[in-house]
Amino acid sequence: MKQIIYFDNASTTKVDEEVLKTYNEVINGYMGNASSIHSLGVASSRLIQKSKENILHLLNMPNHEVIFTSGATESNNLALKGIALNYKNRGKHIIVSSVEHPSILESAHQLEEMGFVVTYLPVNKEGKVELNTLKEALRDETILVSIMAVNNEVGSINNIEEIASLLKQYPKIYFHVDAVQAIGKIDINYQDVDLLTFTSHKIHGVIGTGCLIKRKGISLYPVLSGGGQENNERSGTYNVPGIVSLAKALRFSLERQKASFNHVKELVKPLYDYFLNNSDEYEINSSLDNPFVVNVSLKKKKAAVIVEGLSQRGIMISSISACHSKGEKVSYVLKEMKHDEVLAHNTLRISLSNENTLDEVNTLLKNLDELVKGVRG
C-alpha cells in the first residue's frame, strides 16, 4: 500500500494511539450496561459520571451539564429541535447563520415545516457573522440563536464571546454554538454559551461519540424516545468506551492546542505563498487567523479533477464539506461569502493537524502544481 499524505482533518482525524488504547481497555474491562443496577453497571456508570466532570472542568464550564450523543450531527439536531419544541410557548423564531453545518441547516428547515420561523443570517466576505446583522434580526419571538464557532469549509472564526455578551441581554434567547472545528484548535471562552456541540473524531478520538453541553436549568424536548437515559433528554445505551476515550481525546487536544497551532501555522505559510504567487490560478478564501483550514478556489480548473488526481497520487484533500460532498457539487458557503458561482463550484480545502509535516506540504504543492498546470479545464 502506498504511503498516504492526509490533509482532510476537518472531515475526520487519525485516532490517537493512547486514546485508542483507553477505548480498548474500557470496552474489554467494563462490559456492564451503565443503566444496570448490578456492580458491573454501576462501575460503567461511574466512568461516565467521571468523564462528564472531566469534560466540564477541561472546558471551564462549571454551570453546565453534559449529554453524550452519537456525534455532532445528533448533538446539533438535539440542540435545535430540543430547544424549539420545548420552549415554543415563548416564541417560534430561530436564528442561524447561512453557512452553518448541514445538520444545523437541515434541522432548521425541518422546524420551518413544523411552523417555526427561521432567519438565515448572511455572512461577510470573510465568512463571519457581523454583530449588527444579528442584532437587527432579533425579535420578541426569538428563542434560539445558533452560530458556529469555526466554519468547517473556510475556517472563518466567529466572535463567539462578543455574540454571547450581546445575547446575555435577552434572557429568553438561548445561544447554541457548534464548536466542532474549534475545540482543541482555537482558544474561545464558552462560559456564556448556553449549548455547545463537539465530537470525538475531529480531535483524534474514536468515531461514534459526541457531546452536547447545556447550561443547568435548560430542558430539552427529547428527539429520541426510549429508556430515558440522560434525564430523558437522550435515550439510548451509553457508549462507555467511546465516552471515556472522548474525555481523554479532549484533554490531549487542549493540552496540545498551543503547540499544535504554532506548528500548523508554520506549515501553511508555504501554502499561502504558493497560492498568492499563482493568483492567476487560485483565489484564497481562508485566513491565517485559522491555519488549520486552507481553502482556495480554482479559477480555470475543475476541483473534482484535481482532488481525484491528488488522491491517485496518495494525497488526500477535499473540495467541499464531506457531510454534503456526495450530494452537492457547489459550496453554499462560498456562494454566501462571495456570491460567485464559478468560485463556489471549484473549491479546494486543505485541512491540517499537528501530525502533518513540512515535507508533506512540499509534496502536496509539487503534485498540485503538476496537476493544475497539466490538466485542461
Side-chain angles (χ1 to χ4, degrees):
M1 181 178 178
K2 71 171 70 173
Q3 184 177 358
I4 297 297
I5 296 177
Y6 187 73
F7 286 111
D8 196 21
N9 290 279
S11 296
T12 195
T13 54
K14 179 183 177 182
V15 180
D16 183 279
E17 290 184 6
E18 287 299 313
V19 172
L20 183 59
K21 180 180 177 182
T22 295
Y23 181 93
N24 289 329
E25 287 175 351
V26 175
I27 202 170
N28 290 318
Y30 291 83
M31 60 177 292
N33 188 316
S35 298
S36 299
I37 61 173
H38 53 62
S39 59
L40 291 178
V42 171
S44 294
S45 180
R46 286 174 178 163
L47 278 184
I48 292 170
Q49 185 57 37
K50 184 62 177 176
S51 297
K52 291 184 176 185
E53 293 170 1
N54 290 341
I55 288 169
L56 295 175
H57 174 72
L58 289 165
L59 293 174
N60 194 24
M61 300 178 76
N63 298 317
H64 293 69
E65 52 196 13
V66 174
I67 296 175
F68 289 114
T69 68
S70 62
T73 290
E74 184 189 343
S75 294
N76 285 339
N77 272 260
L78 179 55
L80 263 67
K81 296 170 187 175
I83 289 291
L85 296 174
N86 208 54
Y87 294 99
K88 60 184 178 182
N89 61 313
R90 297 184 183 180
K92 301 186 78 172
H93 180 235
I94 296 165
I95 298 173
V96 302
S97 88
S98 59
V99 298
E100 294 294 311
H101 187 271
S103 60
I104 293 290
L105 295 177
E106 292 304 317
S107 292
H109 294 332
Q110 283 188 306
L111 289 169
E112 285 182 297
E113 295 172 358
M114 299 178 192
F116 289 85
V117 177
V118 180
T119 296
Y120 298 90
L121 292 180
V123 292
N124 62 23
K125 290 184 178 181
E126 296 177 341
K128 301 178 183 181
V129 171
E130 295 185 345
L131 195 65
N132 287 338
T133 305
L134 171 58
K135 192 180 299 185
E136 291 170 2
L138 297 175
R139 307 178 187 176
D140 290 339
E141 300 81 23
T142 307
I143 57 172
L144 176 65
V145 172
S146 182
I147 305 291
M148 66 197 330
V150 171
N151 185 267
N152 53 303
E153 286 195 29
V154 298
S156 53
I157 305 170
N158 282 307
N159 194 329
I160 295 302
E161 294 167 43
E162 185 180 54
I163 295 172
S165 179
L166 167 67
L167 294 177
K168 281 179 70 176
Q169 303 171 36
Y170 302 86
K172 192 177 73 172
I173 300 176
Y174 293 117
F175 181 31
H176 168 251
V177 173
D178 177 346
V180 167
Q181 298 291 343
I183 294 290
K185 299 174 184 176
I186 307 300
D187 190 22
I188 298 174
N189 183 345
Y190 298 108
Q191 284 189 339
D192 291 332
V193 169
D194 296 305
L195 302 109
L196 181 80
T197 294
F198 73 97
T199 192
S200 184
H201 74 103
K202 307 288 189 179
I203 54 173
H204 302 282
V206 179
I207 291 175
T209 307
C211 210
L212 176 61
I213 298 175
K214 68 181 181 71
R215 189 177 301 280
K216 293 176 182 176
I218 293 177
S219 298
L220 300 174
Y221 187 91
V223 173
L224 299 177
S225 301
Q229 289 86 352
E230 300 288 37
N231 295 320
N232 203 38
E233 292 178 321
R234 196 278 181 181
S235 292
T237 302
Y238 287 103
N239 178 359
V240 182
I243 288 168
V244 177
S245 61
L246 166 61
K248 188 163 192 175
L250 176 63
R251 176 167 64 84
F252 283 173
S253 69
L254 294 175
E255 288 174 349
R256 299 166 181 167
Q257 179 173 292
K258 185 175 180 179
S260 294
F261 186 95
N262 291 334
H263 173 71
V264 172
K265 191 167 186 177
E266 290 302 311
L267 295 185
V268 300
K269 287 179 180 178
L271 286 171
Y272 277 92
D273 288 343
Y274 173 80
F275 294 131
L276 287 169
N277 290 333
N278 292 274
S279 57
D280 57 325
E281 295 280 1
Y282 303 96
E283 178 160 334
I284 299 174
N285 305 312
S286 52
S287 165
L288 270 171
D289 290 345
N290 178 7
F292 293 95
V293 176
V294 179
N295 186 294
V296 296
S297 290
L298 291 162
K299 294 180 178 180
K300 304 173 184 177
K301 310 295 183 183
K302 294 188 182 300
V305 175
I306 302 303
V307 172
E308 177 60 25
L310 288 171
S311 177
Q312 290 176 358
R313 298 180 181 207
I315 303 170
M316 307 300 155
I317 68 170
S318 62
S319 51
I320 57 178
S321 168
C323 293
H324 66 171
S325 59
K326 292 183 179 178
E328 291 189 35
K329 304 301 180 185
V330 61
S331 167
Y332 66 87
V333 175
L334 261 294
K335 285 180 69 176
E336 290 290 331
M337 285 174 57
K338 299 196 172 181
H339 309 286
D340 188 310
E341 287 283 341
V342 174
L343 296 179
H345 273 83
N346 292 293
T347 63
L348 301 178
R349 184 184 68 178
I350 302 161
S351 49
L352 301 91
S353 81
N354 62 330
E355 295 193 351
N356 289 121
T357 67
L358 186 57
D359 284 344
E360 290 178 335
V361 170
N362 290 332
T363 301
L364 166 64
L365 288 176
K366 177 180 178 293
N367 284 272
L368 184 61
D369 192 65
E370 291 174 358
L371 286 168
V372 170
K373 292 178 178 177
V375 174
R376 294 182 181 178

